[in-house]
Amino acid sequence: MNKYVKFGIFAFINIIMLYFIFTNISNYTYEFAVTEAEGSVSDVDNKDSDLNSTHIIVESIESNIENMKNVLLYKIKPKLIPGDSNNSIEATTIDRALAEALTDSSEIDLSPPNPIISQETKPISNLVEFQKVILARNHLLKRQCSNKKSRQSLKYKVFYPLPRKSLVWCPVFKAASTNWMHNILHLAGKTEKDIEKIIQDHPQQPNEQARVVAPLLPLSKLREISSSEQFKGMLVVRHPFDRLVSAYRDKLERCHAYNNCASDSDWYYKTYGKKIVKKYRKGAELRFGPDYFSKENNFGSPIPLLSSWRSRSLPSWWEFVQYILHTSPSSYDEHWKPASLYCSVCSFPYNYILHFENIQQEEKFFAQEMSASDLIHPRWENRNDEGLAKEEILGKYFNMLDDKDITALYKIYEDDFKMFGYKFEYKHLRLNLKS
């Protein structure tokens, strides 16, 4: 049996299996549960039922695939040519390889190639629908906070208050924070000329720009603002893993110093990158091989950098994750600290939780609530997706991690998942999804 016959057999088997899989799948409609934050009680009950049905369907399909494999395995018999010992040995060897492939449960993976993080939510078409969504998110947060055994300390010095607007905003970095630093300037009533002057005085420091109009206030004053009937305690949240990848790509994956990635003038390299590489580079080379940090392999980056550059002196995603897993979250930089921890969400009465994934739509209605539709505008700041879908980007990065690392990451960001209604489905992992 030559190599072309062998290829033909494998191709034939795969075609049969794929036909069998899609024939089964076409008989069913997959319903994924929407977040419990945005559904009524009856909706949640119905979706729990749908989820159970989905698991049963998947198990049925997987069982049928195994049966198909068994049938094909039973049909395989060595094609022996009398008197030709070489061909007999070759046929037996090929049949054994086919048998091993058919008995390998990992041969067929029904999971999608990239993580599933998007929520199946209805578009918000008017202010009433927006208010219902916000109310559901508030209830979810209160319910999750009530389950916490210990009370968070309130880190109110991170807040940006505008007393005249009865607004207190907590910035979740890598979740439209730069955009909202600009919005704060407009909400404070500054003219374009004023804003231009503030930006010139604090170049490339949007947080300091916003502090000009939203200075630190004592806790007593913040409590006074939050007791007002017009009070709006707002934060924008983002899928925890999507935010984490974005923070790494923006702050540590690319060079920020001119012509020298390993320059101490790059604050993030000096503070984090250099130490991460020193501690975890040997482990990364053992795991991925000596050529992993070669120029041909983008110096360890799974995605070529189109808008910047990189060198082997910068940490890889895997090294960054090891740092995250072996460091206390309380000492994290604000760009990757859990939002629930950074903003003390169980110790302050937030009543407007916007989702980054739907920010343009939700900002529009929040602006209406603030009577500031002419002041709040969406902007795309610090975009670094290289034109790829976020699920595709996540797939490339999380493919470098094993299940143990992903599960450990989830435990660190578990409050963000549960308090803000986020899910993560990748390969056989189902994080914050009801079984």
Side-chain angles (χ1 to χ4, degrees):
M1 187 182 294
N2 59 35
K3 61 181 180 180
Y4 299 105
V5 176
K6 177 181 177 180
F7 174 80
I9 292 174
F10 272 106
F12 175 71
I13 291 172
N14 283 324
I15 289 171
I16 291 176
M17 288 183 178
L18 288 172
Y19 173 78
F20 187 78
I21 292 169
F22 287 110
T23 300
N24 276 274
I25 290 177
S26 66
N27 293 327
Y28 302 99
T29 300
Y30 282 72
E31 281 291 332
F32 290 101
V34 219
T35 75
E36 57 180 294
E38 298 176 2
S40 64
V41 174
S42 61
D43 288 337
V44 172
D45 290 339
N46 291 334
K47 289 177 175 63
D48 286 344
S49 175
D50 289 341
L51 269 177
N52 292 331
S53 299
T54 300
H55 285 294
I56 292 171
I57 292 169
V58 172
E59 290 173 1
S60 174
I61 293 173
E62 290 174 344
S63 175
N64 287 334
I65 291 171
E66 289 302 314
N67 291 338
M68 191 64 181
K69 284 185 173 185
N70 292 335
V71 170
L72 290 168
L73 181 61
Y74 176 78
K75 292 295 183 182
I76 294 175
K77 295 180 180 178
K79 303 294 184 180
L80 302 179
I81 302 175
D84 191 337
S85 60
N86 290 332
N87 282 339
S88 299
I89 292 172
E90 182 185 3
T92 304
T93 303
I94 291 173
D95 288 341
R96 182 180 297 115
L98 288 173
E100 290 176 355
L102 288 170
T103 55
D104 181 4
S105 61
S106 65
E107 193 71 18
I108 294 180
D109 186 358
L110 293 177
S111 60
N114 295 320
I116 297 175
I117 65 171
S118 298
Q119 312 290 340
E120 292 292 334
T121 56
K122 296 180 181 179
I124 303 172
S125 58
N126 56 59
L127 188 59
V128 173
E129 290 178 356
F130 172 72
Q131 291 169 340
K132 288 180 179 179
V133 167
I134 292 300
L135 186 61
R137 291 175 185 169
N138 292 344
H139 287 330
L140 174 63
L141 178 60
K142 289 178 181 179
R143 186 163 65 250
Q144 292 297 327
C145 286
S146 67
N147 294 331
K148 300 294 290 182
K149 295 182 179 179
S150 58
R151 184 175 177 83
Q152 289 179 324
S153 59
L154 180 59
K155 303 175 182 65
Y156 63 92
K157 293 183 179 180
V158 303
F159 294 167
Y160 285 74
L162 286 179
R164 281 185 9 181
K165 290 288 186 179
S166 298
L167 172 69
V168 176
W169 169 59
C170 179
V172 176
F173 292 89
K174 303 308 301 179
S177 58
T178 302
N179 178 30
W180 266 91
M181 297 292 179
H182 289 299
N183 285 338
I184 289 292
L185 296 175
H186 289 281
L187 287 171
K190 296 297 180 181
T191 66
E192 291 297 332
K193 187 175 181 179
D194 293 335
I195 293 174
E196 184 178 343
K197 177 65 166 57
I198 292 172
I199 292 175
Q200 288 176 352
D201 291 343
H202 305 277
Q204 298 181 335
Q205 294 296 328
N207 55 328
E208 294 181 8
Q209 296 164 14
R211 277 290 179 218
V212 173
V213 298
L216 294 175
L217 293 180
L219 183 57
S220 59
K221 182 62 177 178
L222 293 172
R223 295 293 189 195
E224 180 184 330
I225 296 173
S226 66
S227 63
S228 165
E229 289 185 4
Q230 291 76 37
F231 167 69
K232 293 173 180 60
M234 193 272 283
L235 71 162
V236 181
V237 297
R238 182 176 183 176
H239 190 286
F241 287 170
D242 184 34
R243 176 175 169 249
L244 184 65
V245 169
S246 179
Y248 161 73
R249 298 190 70 222
D250 183 37
K251 300 302 179 184
L252 292 171
E253 187 180 50
R254 58 191 65 211
C255 293
H256 295 276
Y258 181 71
N259 280 342
N260 183 7
C261 289
S263 172
D264 281 348
S265 63
D266 181 342
W267 189 86
Y268 274 91
Y269 173 76
K270 178 182 178 181
T271 308
Y272 300 105
K274 181 190 294 187
K275 298 173 184 177
I276 292 173
V277 170
K278 182 178 180 180
K279 188 169 184 178
Y280 298 108
R281 180 53 52 90
K282 287 184 179 179
E285 290 177 338
L286 285 173
R287 180 181 176 90
F288 299 106
D291 296 330
Y292 183 71
F293 293 96
S294 66
K295 182 178 180 180
E296 293 71 22
N297 196 45
N298 304 314
F299 303 109
S301 171
I303 300 176
L305 302 180
L306 302 180
S307 58
S308 185
W309 59 95
R310 174 175 169 79
S311 78
R312 64 174 288 112
S313 60
L314 298 181
S316 67
W317 163 249
W318 182 85
E319 292 168 324
F320 173 68
V321 168
Q322 302 315 303
Y323 156 77
I324 290 290
L325 296 182
H326 296 90
T327 306
S328 170
S330 62
S331 63
Y332 287 175
D333 181 83
E334 61 264 27
H335 288 84
W336 49 81
K337 181 175 287 189
S340 55
L341 178 62
Y342 184 77
C343 289
S344 312
V345 296
C346 291
S347 299
F348 194 74
Y350 295 100
N351 53 7
Y352 282 88
I353 302 171
L354 309 188
H355 278 204
F356 176 82
E357 292 76 13
N358 195 30
I359 189 62
Q360 287 186 308
Q361 203 174 42
E362 296 182 16
E363 269 186 347
K364 179 179 70 174
F365 293 113
F366 181 70
Q368 290 183 27
E369 293 272 279
M370 294 281 296
S371 300
S373 296
D374 58 329
L375 300 176
I376 297 176
H377 304 288
R379 301 175 181 84
W380 289 99
E381 303 281 353
N382 299 330
R383 186 169 181 172
N384 63 351
D385 57 15
E386 313 295 352
L388 300 175
K390 60 185 175 183
E391 289 84 1
E392 186 177 354
I393 293 175
L394 279 177
K396 291 181 181 296
Y397 285 83
F398 273 77
N399 190 49
M400 298 163 62
L401 307 178
D402 55 32
D403 290 353
K404 183 179 179 182
D405 286 342
I406 296 175
T407 303
L409 272 182
Y410 172 72
K411 293 303 294 182
I412 292 173
Y413 293 91
E414 186 174 13
D415 280 348
D416 281 15
F417 275 91
K418 292 185 174 181
M419 291 178 177
F420 308 131
Y422 285 107
K423 322 288 183 185
F424 186 76
E425 185 174 357
Y426 185 48
K427 297 182 178 177
H428 64 276
L429 293 173
R430 306 288 186 271
L431 304 179
N432 203 30
L433 282 164
K434 293 183 178 180
S435 57

